[in-house]
Amino acid sequence: MRYRPTTKRALRVVVAVFIGSLLIIEVFDGFSFVRETLPDSLRREGLLSFLRGKERPFCPCPHKPPSLLGFRDIVEVDKPMSQLEQELGPLLRHGGHYSPPDCRPHDKTAIIIPCRNRWPHLRVLLNYLVHVLIRQQLDFTIFVIESDQGSTFNKGILLNLAVLEAMKRDRYTCFVMQDVDLLTMDDRNLYRCDQQPRHLAAAINKFKYTLPYPRYSGGVYALSLEQLLKVNGHSNLFFGWGGEDDDIYHRLYHVGYTFTRNPEEMAKYWMIKHKRDKGNERTRQSTMLLQKTMSEKRMFDEGLNTTRYHLDSVEETPLFTWIKATINLTEVLQPAPPYIKSLFENGLQFTNKKPRTR
Ligand code: UDP
Ligand code: MN
């Protein structure tokens, strides 16, 4: 079909006006007075930078990510780290960062993985988790936190120091605490924060895919920055296996939060089988802290505001930011009030007794 000359002219005018307005926007955006008078929201993540493709996209990510796969059986595959870096590295920015190219997520999320002498588990986990988090359209950074070999393992203090170190690097608004040996089996179980704390690992194979006790909220859980700050983070004092997760449950409960979960069929996790680690034996102190000192009282005395550690190094690897720290019992106890110090006066005492849960 032939255009009549007037239609052609009209088309040219439309194209010229479009290109002209783009140029005007570009030139005027260069003048600071224009930038200064733009509302905050437009200046930071606005139309102008979106048009130029420099900043994060304008549209919020959809409530339901479009490319989820749902439930999948787990096959534990342990690939060498170099192979993982080759396969997953191109999907991430150095340090283990990712943000979705096509939408703007609600949160900036730190995935925090404590890992000491569990490198095979970390490799199996990364092989799964990176793809899941990408499908979930999260803006995330993976942090791996390793403590020195000499100290008794203390997951709570590692989570605290990871939060503090992450916040030095960026404005994270959501923190997912992820055990290194827990593989999510269903990507509909989103690694997102919410108005209430989220317990993600609600149905683990080790516990026959159900909660071991109603208040269990360990393994994998997501806390917003606000939730974490309200309870002063985790306790620093749970040396050895167990207790720190029950303690943060009570802290959160006391300030009015309750964990929410997906139904069991959507919250399945596969725990890689393992023996109890050396240097992570149960301590009597953990039982006493839970049973003799109230978490809700103690949380104002110790937590994020009293976390003492030596930062040995922070290294950005292709798949994660690797934080190494040394923990010293005497220094950890130094800011603690007398009623806590007295529990530790004979040093850490190891036990095989299972701590009672409230
Ligand atoms: N962990 C670790 N090295 C240790 C002990 C524990 O990395 O020596 C971390 C690891 O992330 C692990 C988590 O702490 O998944 C919880 O410990 P564990 O798996 O022994 O507890 P479970 O939940 O299996 O009883
Ligand atoms: Mn485990």
Side-chain angles (χ1 to χ4, degrees):
M1 177 189 145
R2 282 186 58 204
Y3 290 109
R4 292 213 310 275
T6 45
T7 324
K8 256 189 183 170
R9 214 173 301 138
L11 263 176
R12 266 193 223 131
V13 171
V14 170
V15 171
V17 167
F18 181 66
I19 293 174
S21 20
L22 281 184
L23 279 173
I24 289 168
I25 288 174
E26 182 65 40
V27 168
F28 269 77
D29 186 39
F31 295 127
S32 60
F33 74 86
V34 176
R35 237 186 277 135
E36 293 313 320
T37 51
L38 276 173
D40 247 17
S41 55
L42 267 184
R43 253 193 292 152
R44 263 185 284 115
E45 36 206 21
L47 191 56
L48 306 183
S49 22
F50 177 58
L51 282 172
R52 282 187 263 116
K54 281 184 190 162
E55 276 183 20
R56 294 196 294 161
F58 201 59
C59 299
C61 292
H63 185 66
K64 189 171 176 283
S67 18
L68 298 180
L69 300 174
F71 177 84
R72 288 200 310 164
D73 255 327
I74 297 284
V75 185
E76 290 177 26
V77 188
D78 183 5
K79 300 175 181 171
M81 191 55 92
S82 55
Q83 187 184 344
L84 283 178
E85 287 178 354
Q86 257 176 20
E87 290 175 6
L88 304 173
L91 305 174
L92 305 178
R93 297 199 311 284
H94 208 73
H97 310 283
Y98 177 83
S99 31
D102 45 0
C103 65
R104 187 165 43 84
H106 184 265
D107 277 312
K108 192 170 256 304
T109 303
I111 310 287
I112 296 181
I113 310 174
C115 181
R116 183 177 80 174
N117 302 336
R118 295 277 199 103
W119 302 105
H121 293 183
L122 181 69
R123 294 193 295 267
V124 177
L125 173 70
L126 289 173
N127 191 37
Y128 265 95
L129 190 62
V130 169
H131 290 294
V132 169
L133 300 176
I134 291 176
R135 286 202 297 277
Q136 295 186 353
Q137 296 185 304
L138 302 174
D139 179 313
F140 66 85
T141 301
I142 297 177
F143 290 94
V144 171
I145 323 301
E146 185 183 9
S147 57
D148 60 288
Q149 302 292 332
S151 60
T152 298
F153 196 76
N154 179 333
K155 193 166 105 183
I157 201 171
L158 294 188
L159 300 176
N160 275 348
L161 79 87
V163 169
L164 295 170
E165 291 300 322
M167 291 304 286
K168 286 184 195 164
R169 289 174 160 71
D170 212 332
R171 293 182 190 173
Y172 293 97
T173 53
C174 176
F175 298 84
V176 182
M177 315 304 175
Q178 158 82 57
D179 274 8
V180 74
D181 52 16
L182 281 174
L183 309 171
T184 175
M185 301 174 83
D186 197 318
D187 58 8
R188 293 172 299 171
N189 199 16
L190 300 174
Y191 276 53
R192 277 189 195 155
C193 284
D194 205 351
Q195 298 303 316
Q196 294 291 328
R198 293 283 293 160
H199 181 217
L200 298 175
I204 306 178
N205 61 342
K206 176 180 164 183
F207 305 125
K208 304 199 166 61
Y209 297 111
T210 184
L211 288 175
Y213 50 95
R215 288 173 176 176
Y216 174 75
S217 49
V220 186
Y221 50 97
L223 301 175
S224 69
L225 179 62
E226 191 185 339
Q227 289 155 8
L228 262 178
L229 293 182
K230 268 205 184 141
V231 298
N232 197 15
H234 291 78
S235 168
N236 300 302
L237 304 172
F238 285 80
F239 285 87
W241 183 91
E244 79 297 326
D245 48 359
D246 294 319
D247 184 71
I248 191 127
Y249 171 92
H250 290 299
R251 287 178 180 224
L252 290 160
Y253 185 77
H254 179 73
V255 297
Y257 290 123
T258 40
F259 275 94
T260 63
R261 313 179 168 93
N262 273 327
E264 280 173 5
E265 66 271 16
M266 260 171 74
K268 289 194 172 148
Y269 271 81
W270 183 264
M271 185 187 279
I272 304 170
K273 225 175 175 175
H274 65 87
K275 295 205 179 81
R276 187 69 52 79
D277 303 270
K278 274 206 189 100
N280 193 26
E281 293 77 17
R282 279 188 187 131
T283 57
R284 278 191 59 221
Q285 274 86 1
S286 295
T287 310
M288 291 195 286
L289 282 167
L290 273 180
Q291 288 173 6
K292 295 208 164 60
T293 69
M294 295 289 107
S295 306
E296 50 269 34
K297 171 173 184 277
R298 195 166 20 78
M299 76 179 166
F300 300 113
D301 293 334
E302 61 101 5
L304 273 176
N305 66 341
T306 57
T307 303
R308 301 280 186 273
Y309 59 99
H310 293 269
L311 185 64
D312 297 324
S313 61
V314 181
E315 194 183 316
E316 298 219 320
T317 81
L319 304 186
F320 52 86
T321 299
W322 183 11
I323 299 177
K324 290 198 237 179
T326 299
I327 309 298
N328 177 294
L329 177 63
T330 317
E331 286 174 25
V332 171
L333 289 176
Q334 193 253 319
Y339 76 94
I340 289 177
K341 277 196 179 125
S342 65
L343 297 179
F344 289 85
E345 77 206 343
N346 298 321
L348 289 177
Q349 295 164 324
F350 300 99
T351 170
N352 282 324
K353 268 205 203 131
K354 209 173 174 173
R356 255 191 303 143
T357 47
R358 269 204 273 168

